[in-house]
Amino acid sequence: MNFYIVDPNKENRDNLRNLIEADYDSIVVGTAGESNRAYSEIIQLHIDILIVNYNLDEKEKGLELINKLKNVGSRPRFLMICPKLSSQEMQNIYDSSVDLIIASPLNLVEARQMIRLISSYAMLLNRLNQIYEISSSSIAPYTRPQALHREQTDHIAQVLRFLGIAAEAGIDDIMKICNIMCDQNIEFSQINFERDLHITEHDKRIIFQRIRRSLKVGISNLANMCIDYPENDILLDYANNLFEYRNIHSEMRKLNGENAKPVQISLQHFFNGLLQESYRVKK
């Protein structure tokens, strides 16, 4: 089981990590003390169980983080650390898809038992899903979104490796944006960067510039491949769908020492092209 812990109390995070990793079948793939970092990491990871504190910080409660994750298709099992609350508040927690509650301050004996219970439950669901997939030609409705999202983002990562930019500085930014687009099935122009990635307009300009520098490397690599293999249909598809062929053609002329128009990178064209490319996994 893959766990992620979100708790502003470092002692809680350390104690929970020790409890979880005492079980050799479980691992903590990440921890965070606040919601923004947790959100940006969780949507990029495969997580079976999320442990989150009810009180994260002054701006956000644990339930708000859970709802944001559900809205982008990230739906692990949820275990919440809670102080003493009213009956109505407890009901609201369970209505928000939280599976189990651990009382705060932490009782390590109780926490160990709760972790074992939710691990057993998650493992049972995983096995049932595997049985269903083996016995049925179609994917179960409740597993399809997560499975499809992972296939789409894996395919996008393959394309980026093919372009030779997997190690570039802008690759993490590209994958975060692709995660949002695949999760919400939206195009680049529909992304709410402030809400979904928690960045300002200034931050967005910096990120876009970093991505453009990475894409310039990709254009140069693809142009070189097109020069070497001019009849390759895959290269021509990528050239047109991701960068518009005229840009690749200009880069090819430049590499051959000829006069050429400057390359014009359209982030919208590139990201929408990646999204369309990811749909190939459905076929």
Side-chain angles (χ1 to χ4, degrees):
M1 292 285 104
N2 290 343
F3 284 77
Y4 193 100
I5 304 167
V6 192
D7 195 311
N9 186 318
K10 185 179 184 302
E11 184 178 359
N12 282 353
R13 299 198 302 270
D14 291 342
N15 285 335
L16 289 170
R17 180 190 285 274
N18 290 336
L19 289 178
I20 292 165
E21 294 188 341
D23 176 359
Y24 293 113
D25 291 328
S26 298
I27 185 171
V28 176
V29 297
T31 67
E34 48 86 25
S35 59
N36 286 347
R37 176 186 164 191
Y39 177 85
S40 63
E41 290 185 351
I42 289 169
I43 61 176
Q44 299 181 72
L45 297 169
H46 168 58
I47 296 170
D48 298 298
I49 300 168
L50 173 65
I51 302 178
V52 57
N53 198 302
Y54 180 80
N55 293 311
L56 289 183
D57 50 52
E58 294 180 358
K59 295 182 179 179
E60 189 163 40
K61 298 292 187 182
L63 288 181
E64 294 174 23
L65 174 60
I66 287 175
N67 289 330
K68 283 200 301 187
L69 291 170
K70 286 160 56 181
N71 287 338
V72 296
S74 179
R75 295 173 180 266
R77 313 315 306 181
F78 296 110
L79 195 160
M80 180 163 276
I81 302 169
C82 293
K84 187 174 182 180
L85 299 172
S86 68
S87 298
Q88 184 57 53
E89 288 172 320
M90 296 286 279
Q91 186 62 51
N92 290 341
I93 291 173
Y94 284 119
D95 288 344
S96 297
S97 303
V98 172
D99 295 287
L100 289 172
I101 292 174
I102 302 178
S104 178
L106 281 183
N107 178 309
L108 296 185
V109 174
E110 178 191 12
R112 181 185 292 109
Q113 185 63 19
M114 291 295 186
I115 289 169
R116 287 175 177 172
L117 283 173
I118 200 167
S119 296
S120 299
Y121 178 58
M123 193 173 297
L124 176 61
L125 285 180
N126 286 346
R127 288 175 179 171
L128 289 173
N129 290 347
Q130 291 171 2
I131 292 170
Y132 186 88
E133 289 175 1
I134 292 171
S135 62
S136 172
S137 59
S138 62
I139 300 175
Y142 51 84
T143 62
R144 181 177 176 83
Q146 185 180 20
L148 178 58
H149 165 75
R150 198 171 308 148
E151 289 177 358
Q152 286 181 281
T153 52
D154 284 349
H155 186 67
I156 287 171
Q158 289 175 1
V159 173
L160 299 177
R161 286 194 294 271
F162 182 85
L163 295 174
I165 60 174
E168 292 297 315
I171 195 67
D172 289 341
D173 302 308
I174 292 172
M175 288 307 301
K176 286 178 183 178
I177 292 172
C178 289
N179 267 291
I180 296 297
M181 293 174 68
C182 291
D183 274 331
Q184 300 182 27
N185 194 27
I186 57 175
E187 294 191 343
F188 182 76
S189 62
Q190 297 172 290
I191 298 174
N192 186 325
F193 286 91
E194 183 178 0
R195 182 195 67 199
D196 294 334
L197 292 176
H198 307 286
I199 59 175
T200 64
E201 282 297 318
H202 176 69
D203 294 332
K204 188 165 71 170
R205 285 193 293 272
I206 294 173
I207 288 171
F208 284 3
Q209 186 59 34
R210 190 159 56 227
I211 291 173
R212 285 192 174 92
R213 286 196 292 268
S214 299
L215 297 190
K216 285 182 179 178
V217 175
I219 287 175
S220 181
N221 291 340
L222 187 54
N224 271 304
M225 287 187 279
C226 287
I227 291 172
D228 293 336
Y229 307 101
E231 304 300 324
N232 188 297
D233 290 338
I234 294 176
L235 297 178
L236 295 176
D237 281 347
Y238 284 166
N240 192 51
N241 295 341
L242 301 180
F243 301 111
E244 298 180 280
Y245 183 74
R246 60 185 174 83
N247 285 310
I248 299 299
H249 183 65
S250 291
E251 186 67 16
M252 290 167 66
R253 289 175 60 89
K254 177 183 172 184
L255 292 171
N256 285 327
E258 304 173 37
N259 291 328
K261 293 181 179 179
V263 170
Q264 296 181 334
I265 296 175
S266 167
L267 294 188
Q268 179 163 305
H269 186 90
F270 174 75
F271 279 103
N272 288 346
L274 276 183
L275 183 64
Q276 291 301 317
E277 179 65 28
S278 77
Y279 290 154
R280 293 176 185 269
V281 301
K282 297 181 181 180
K283 298 178 180 179

